[in-house]
Each structure stands twice: as C-alpha cells, then as structure tokens.
Amino acid sequence: MNHEAPAWRLPRSRAPGGRHQPAAPPSPDLFRQPAMEYLGTVIRPPSEADSILVQAVYGCPHNACSFCGAYRDKPFGMKSEAALLADLDEIAAGDRHRRRIFLCDGDALALPFDRLLRLLAAIREKLPWITRVGSYASGASLGRRSDAALAELRRAGLAKVYLGLESGDDATLAAMGKATDVAGIVAGGRRARQAGMTVSVSVLLGLAGIDRSAVHARLTGEAITAMAPDQAAALSLMLIPGTPLDVLAGQGRFVLPDAAGLLRELHTLLTHTDFRGLFFANHASNYLPLRLRLPRDKAAGLARIEAALAGDIPLRPEAARRL
C-alpha cells in the first residue's frame, strides 16, 4: 500500500446507461480514450484532496501485497504520452483554480525516467500555475534512481512523494509480500528527501497480527526515526474481502489485534518514533485520532493514548471506521 491512505476513490468506469462495472483490462483501445477518463479504481492521499488527479500509470507494478486490494481490478500499465498530453490540454481548458497535481496510480515513478521528465516538463509548459506535483513511490522505484536522477526529477517539478513503509519489521514485510525490505524503503525515503522532495511515509497498525504486534510497533517506530521523513501517518489495518490476508484471517491463520491492541501498538510505535515533522494517526481507520508535531507534541500524544486505553477518551465507533 504505497500511500498515505486510500481515503477517496473515483467511480469505476461506467457502462452505457450509467451502471457501474469493473473496468476491463488495458487494451490498445484504452490508450485512445477521451482525455481525463480513468481506468478502474483511483485513490489518492488525504492531503491531495484538492489536487487534480492525472492517471499516469494504471495499477501498481508490484500489486502482490497480501493486505492490499487497491489495484486488483486492473493489471499494471502505462498511459500513452499522447493520452497524457490530451489530459493536460483538458485541464488547461477548464481547471485553472487548482494548484496541485497528483500522479496516479500506485507508483508513477515506475515510468521510464525520460517519460516522467517529459510529463513533468509538459505540466510546466501547459499548466504554469501548478505549484506542486506529487506521486506515490516505492522503495523499489526510488532505489532504481540515482541521486542525480532524483535531484533532476525534483528540479523538473516532482515535489512530494508518498511512501508505504507499512512495517519496520522485515519478517512482517516478507509475510505480507512487500517487494522491498525495510532498509531499502528507508534508504529510498532518505534519498528522496536529500534530493529536496517532501516525503510522507505511511505505516499500518495491526499488520503483524497479534503474534508480532509489539515487535512490529517498536521496529516501525525505529524505521520512521531512521528515515526522518517530513511526515508520517499511522493507519489501522482493515481486512479487505478477497485479499490473501482476508483469506488467512478467515482460516484463523491471521488474527488482527482488537481496538486495545491497536492502541497499544500506536503507543509503542510513537514511543520509538523520533523525528522533526508531522505525525498523523487521524485516518478514518483509526480508533483514536491524533495529529502531532514532533517532538513538541510527543508526550501529549502518548498521554492521550494512555487515557483512551484507560477508558477516559471515547474511541471512534466501529461503524464509523473505514478505509
């Protein structure tokens, strides 16, 4: 899950008559579709709520994480340059009030380097009022870029990347089918920051189940500390029907911590997290919303979690939790 949070989705492609249907796999005709149409489910981070969404790639190049159902409606593909230029022309013709662009889907940095540079150059040329371009990224896609290449992407306009760490525990990442180990993801985030990009990293409470809960929480806090991002966001795992992890849970082979267990993870994670920036746990999946500026608010955040565990602060109702 290379994202801060899958908080908002565009509708799937519509059949004639307006009925929703799953999007078909990419075909040659797909790349000739009208501008600003989207293939399948499209998600973006909460902080990109006011951004223009440009679908530069389809799906996720890895798309094998056991917990993630975000892009299972489509195989990975790359939108043609002609279709992307048509999208930008469509934006230029009628969307001048928004100042940010977010490149979808799961990892726009998977585009070939020269194509990504040309896309960023076209955004500057056709949409000169845009002040920020953001994208999901992965440890793998960042690892394939040299320091010089990352710096060039930053100069070309790629200002913010969202990186899914999920866990600081290599055993948990391996069990969940992540493509990169902790060291690779941490290194990618550090190098993106050194290139001048703003880095937002997301982690998942509950991802290790009950068996490795404490280890997962401690090591995740340590990994965030090592990465030193601009901001970190803790979400709570919610099982998505049909994913491999949901199947394991149905077989009793994976047990998700309860609300108290997730709060204890959050407390341990925050205890072991030390960096200068924003720490969010205010996603709708969480039982207790937190928005902290570290290190200033760390003690207050820990005290709030302790109060919630003691029953002194009400938790978000189960019915109100969502992805």
Side-chain angles (χ1 to χ4, degrees):
M1 183 182 286
N2 287 330
H3 46 71
E4 178 183 309
W8 182 83
R9 299 166 186 264
L10 287 172
R12 293 169 181 257
S13 300
R14 288 180 180 264
R19 297 182 63 186
H20 290 286
Q21 67 174 16
S27 68
D29 289 339
L30 166 69
F31 304 102
R32 294 192 292 271
Q33 65 184 346
M36 297 307 290
E37 288 193 1
Y38 300 93
L39 174 67
T41 299
V42 178
I43 64 175
R44 52 90 180 141
S47 56
E48 300 289 344
D50 297 324
S51 299
I52 302 166
L53 305 183
V54 174
Q55 195 174 31
V57 299
Y58 303 110
C60 171
H62 180 57
N63 205 24
C65 296
S66 298
F67 58 88
C68 182
Y71 304 111
R72 295 185 184 271
D73 60 347
K74 53 193 164 185
F76 180 73
M78 300 181 187
K79 198 167 194 177
S80 73
E81 292 189 73
L84 282 169
L85 291 176
D87 283 350
L88 300 185
D89 288 337
E90 182 82 2
I91 295 165
D95 201 347
R96 291 175 174 264
H97 66 285
R98 289 187 284 177
R99 296 291 184 263
R100 296 176 177 178
I101 280 179
F102 183 74
L103 302 178
C104 308
D105 277 332
D107 188 353
L109 267 74
L111 281 170
F113 181 70
D114 288 343
R115 283 188 61 176
L116 184 52
L117 278 182
R118 288 195 294 271
L119 173 58
L120 293 169
I123 290 171
R124 291 199 313 275
E125 176 188 349
K126 294 175 178 288
L127 313 172
W129 60 89
I130 293 297
T131 60
R132 190 182 83 188
V133 178
S135 171
Y136 289 130
S138 67
S141 64
L142 291 169
R144 286 193 294 270
R145 309 295 187 197
S146 67
D147 291 344
L150 290 176
E152 188 170 359
L153 289 173
R154 176 63 189 93
R155 288 193 296 272
L158 184 62
K160 186 169 186 178
V161 293
Y162 298 82
L163 189 60
L165 171 63
E166 324 306 1
S167 176
D169 177 26
D170 275 325
T172 296
L173 293 187
M176 293 298 126
K178 283 285 285 187
T180 316
D181 62 11
V182 174
I185 301 170
V186 168
R190 290 185 64 87
R191 293 177 57 245
R193 260 203 108 199
Q194 289 164 2
M197 299 176 189
T198 298
V199 173
S200 176
V201 62
S202 62
V203 298
L204 272 175
L205 302 171
L207 190 62
I210 60 173
D211 293 336
R212 291 183 67 83
S213 176
V215 173
H216 158 65
R218 174 177 58 82
L219 292 178
T220 301
E222 293 174 358
I224 294 172
T225 300
M227 186 184 294
D230 297 279
Q231 58 190 54
L235 292 69
S236 294
L237 175 66
M238 298 185 75
L239 295 172
I240 300 173
T243 58
L245 190 59
D246 182 57
V247 173
L248 289 177
Q251 298 169 346
R253 297 164 60 191
F254 177 86
V255 181
L256 187 63
D258 61 10
L262 292 173
L263 286 174
R264 286 192 291 270
E265 279 197 15
L266 181 58
H267 190 278
T268 299
L269 187 155
L270 183 55
T271 297
H272 291 274
T273 297
D274 293 293
F275 74 102
R276 188 170 296 278
L278 294 173
F279 180 90
F280 300 106
N282 56 350
H283 185 255
S285 62
N286 292 336
Y287 286 100
L288 180 70
L290 293 177
R291 189 181 190 279
L292 311 173
R293 181 168 291 280
L294 301 183
R296 182 192 68 191
D297 300 331
K298 181 172 179 176
L302 291 171
R304 183 170 172 81
I305 300 168
E306 291 160 9
L309 283 166
D312 298 330
I313 296 177
L315 303 183
R316 177 176 280 134
E318 194 66 47
R321 297 176 65 230
R322 64 185 187 276
L323 290 171

